[in-house]
Amino acid sequence: MGPTLGAAGWARWVWRQLTSMRTALFLLLLLAVAAVPGSVIPQRGVDPVAVQEYLAERPTLGPWLDRLGFFDVYASPWFSAIYLLLFVSLIGCVVPRTLAHARALRADPPRTPRRLARMPAHRLAVTDAAPEEVLEAARRLLRRRRYRVVRRDDAVAAERGYARETGNLLFHLSLVGLLVAVALGGLVGYRGQVVVPVGQAFANSLADYDTFDPGVWFDPADLPPFRLTVDDLRVRFEDQAGGSQFGAPRLFEADVTVVPEPGAQPQQRTIEVNGPLGIGDAQVYLAGNGYAPRIRVTDGEGRVAFDDQVPFLAQDDNYSSTGVVKVVDAAPQQIGLGGLFLPTAVVDPELGPVSVFPDARDPRLFLSAWVGDLGLDDGVPQSVYELDTEGMEQLRTPDGAPFTVALAPGESAELPDGAGTVEFVSLDRFAGLTVRADPAKGWALAFAVLAITGLVASLFVPRRRVWVRAGRDDEGRTVVEVAGLARGDDAGLAGEVEALQRDLLERSVGAPARTGG
């Protein structure tokens, strides 16, 4: 029976396995694979509405994915575990190599092998110049070629290409720095989404966000105190019928007025899809757009209980959109409206009302109505895009069918049972804005550039060792040997050795030479 490792032995073995380059590469690949669900499955921090729809459509699979953190992949325990293991592995792998590399940079080139003819690249020549003259010329020539050179007895040893290992270490150290920068950005940064109809304003405060995802170390006092008003939204779609791109978006731009801080002068700016607006440390992105019909509801007592733009969220490429209206101040009972908005409406014999184009060519608003308690006084938060009808009664027509109405802009309809009237006043658009702040993004970019620089150096800088030996033969002639050795494959090594020999004998020494391999 062999000896046992013991606790300390097992700990050393685990540490060696964790800090090996093979493990680091495996964890890097595993991290890339673990990030895939974050691109395939909707994420709460990006699109919480899509997450709710995903859960509703998959009542069996969805809850399990939710328990396992697949709707918030980058904050899940298993993704964080891979991230931290990769961080530790890179640190444990790179730091010892960096120390060894620093010692190697200070050390002299290796001693000259006894038999240079065994080297992969070898050249032999005979010259009339003295050995001392040849070796001194070799030392000067190799220094001009940026080799580290040392003279020992009858030979000159030279080495270059340490930038290859330096680049390799720079690449891995930059990966560590990149991981730290990304983690720091996630800890102190934030990301929020808000829907702002045209003509309305958004103040950068927690209360104004629809969804907000702060880092663990985020301080609300760090929010830049800006105010942004959406003045206009320009949207254009491909309208060439018959083409494969029919209905595809061609232009999204938002004209906004920004007040960077209280008391500052308003600034007129434009936000594009790939052209965010920078305000302090925050970046404001135009993440989406849609329609916000202006709806007016008059209650059963004849009072205007609701008159506002209502964002409807697009459900398909033709902007078939859903939304709700919650009329809390209606009397004698609260009113809830659930609606479907179609920008270019047609009635399909099988599918019913559908939109056939995303632009507002023939807009229609389809509404159903409920009365009763909206549940907003219970203290339980509700989504503004969902209508909880559990404690409400659906309004019906005199023949008992559920009440529905289709309205064009400017049209109105009476609600059953004297509940009031609803009017589709006008059609506006809304801009979906994402506000992000990542104080470490500059560091992340710098480390990414350093990583690419290091990778290029590690791939394209050759690591070479060269030796030149000169001595007298039995006939009194000077025999010159030039040999080279490369770390890894180096197709240019033989050419380098041949060029060194030629320059040494023909240019540096200036004496006639007879060469051989």
Side-chain angles (χ1 to χ4, degrees):
M1 183 176 179
T4 58
L5 288 177
W10 277 109
R12 284 193 296 270
W13 181 84
V14 170
W15 177 252
R16 291 193 188 101
Q17 298 303 312
L18 178 61
T19 57
S20 68
M21 183 56 66
R22 179 176 58 187
T23 301
L25 291 174
F26 172 76
L27 288 171
L28 189 61
L29 176 62
L30 187 60
L31 188 71
V33 173
V36 171
S39 301
V40 177
I41 300 174
Q43 301 295 290
R44 280 198 172 89
V46 177
D47 193 348
V49 176
V51 172
Q52 294 300 323
E53 293 175 354
Y54 192 97
L55 289 168
E57 294 172 358
R58 299 166 178 83
T60 302
L61 177 63
W64 280 104
L65 293 177
D66 197 12
R67 294 187 189 99
L68 296 174
F70 278 87
F71 297 114
D72 200 2
V73 167
Y74 307 112
S76 63
W78 48 271
F79 190 87
S80 300
I82 300 173
Y83 191 93
L84 292 174
L85 284 174
L86 176 61
F87 182 81
V88 173
S89 179
L90 286 173
I91 290 290
C93 176
V94 173
V95 170
R97 287 179 56 194
T98 302
L99 297 176
H101 182 59
R103 290 192 294 269
L105 287 174
R106 296 193 300 268
D108 291 333
R111 301 187 67 85
T112 305
R114 183 172 299 177
R115 298 180 181 179
L116 291 178
R118 293 183 176 181
M119 294 295 105
H122 177 257
R123 301 290 293 179
L124 181 67
V126 179
T127 181
D128 295 334
E132 185 68 24
E133 184 182 358
V134 172
L135 292 176
E136 182 60 24
R139 188 185 66 81
R140 293 195 303 268
L141 176 62
L142 289 168
R143 283 191 179 277
R144 287 199 299 270
R145 287 177 172 262
R146 307 182 70 83
Y147 280 87
R148 297 167 59 240
V149 181
V150 64
R151 167 81 182 274
R152 295 190 184 98
D153 300 329
D154 63 344
V156 173
E159 189 173 26
R160 79 173 183 184
Y162 271 90
R164 183 188 187 95
E165 179 65 10
T166 302
N168 187 279
L169 291 173
L170 178 63
F171 171 72
H172 289 92
L173 287 171
S174 297
L175 284 183
V176 174
L178 186 60
L179 290 175
V180 172
V182 172
L184 184 61
L187 289 172
V188 301
Y190 64 88
R191 176 178 58 195
Q193 292 83 30
V194 61
V195 168
V196 185
V198 173
Q200 293 192 18
F202 157 71
N204 191 34
S205 63
L206 294 180
D208 273 22
Y209 280 102
D210 294 329
T211 62
F212 192 79
D213 184 22
V216 176
W217 296 344
F218 167 75
D219 184 356
D222 295 335
L223 285 173
F226 68 83
R227 183 178 179 86
L228 182 149
T229 302
V230 178
D231 301 319
D232 189 24
L233 186 64
R234 293 186 296 278
V235 181
R236 181 168 56 84
F237 301 93
E238 179 62 55
D239 57 2
Q240 294 297 321
S244 59
Q245 296 295 310
F246 180 72
R250 289 290 179 258
L251 175 68
F252 290 148
E253 290 180 349
D255 293 331
V256 300
T257 299
V258 179
V259 180
E261 57 185 19
Q265 290 296 321
Q267 302 174 6
Q268 307 297 321
R269 306 288 292 274
T270 297
I271 309 176
E272 301 176 1
V273 173
N274 294 316
L277 171 63
I279 309 174
D281 292 335
Q283 295 285 321
V284 183
Y285 296 84
L286 181 59
N289 74 97
Y291 293 96
R294 187 177 191 91
I295 299 174
R296 180 182 298 138
V297 179
T298 304
D299 63 17
E301 297 181 356
R303 296 182 300 105
V304 176
F306 183 91
D307 187 359
D308 203 356
Q309 298 158 304
V310 181
F312 276 58
L313 302 182
Q315 305 298 312
D316 57 29
D317 293 339
N318 286 322
Y319 281 55
S320 300
S321 308
T322 59
V324 301
V325 179
K326 300 179 182 181
V327 189
V328 181
D329 298 328
Q333 298 185 84
Q334 294 179 340
I335 300 173
L337 302 173
L340 172 68
F341 173 76
L342 305 177
T344 303
V346 298
V347 178
D348 186 274
E350 296 181 359
L351 301 177
V354 295
S355 178
V356 295
F357 190 70
D359 209 355
R361 301 288 179 82
D362 188 13
R364 289 292 186 276
L365 180 63
F366 297 82
L367 295 173
S368 299
W370 285 261
V371 293
D373 184 9
L374 289 168
L376 297 176
D377 299 328
D378 299 338
V380 179
Q382 291 187 13
S383 170
V384 296
Y385 303 108
E386 295 181 357
L387 181 64
D388 184 3
T389 60
E390 183 176 351
M392 306 187 75
E393 178 184 355
Q394 186 172 13
L395 293 179
R396 298 179 178 274
T397 61
D399 59 2
F403 169 79
T404 59
V405 64
L407 301 176
E411 295 182 349
S412 63
E414 294 284 342
L415 297 176
D417 302 331
T421 62
V422 57
E423 180 182 359
F424 182 3
V425 179
S426 61
L427 180 61
D428 297 318
R429 290 184 180 270
F430 71 80
L433 302 178
T434 296
V435 182
R436 297 186 62 176
D438 185 357
K441 65 180 179 181
W443 288 103
L445 176 61
F447 283 122
V449 172
L450 288 175
I452 294 174
T453 303
L455 182 62
V456 170
S458 68
L459 291 176
F460 296 104
V461 174
R463 174 80 178 274
R464 292 169 177 168
R465 291 174 177 173
V466 174
W467 297 274
V468 178
R469 176 179 285 149
R472 299 285 187 181
D473 63 4
D474 295 339
E475 300 178 7
R477 300 174 301 175
T478 298
V479 178
V480 181
E481 285 185 280
V482 182
L485 177 67
R487 171 175 269 183
D489 296 332
D490 187 353
L493 179 64
E496 173 76 355
V497 170
E498 184 177 352
L500 282 172
Q501 183 200 56
R502 182 180 62 252
D503 291 350
L504 174 63
L505 299 180
E506 295 181 3
R507 301 177 187 175
S508 300
V509 178
R514 296 171 295 281
T515 62

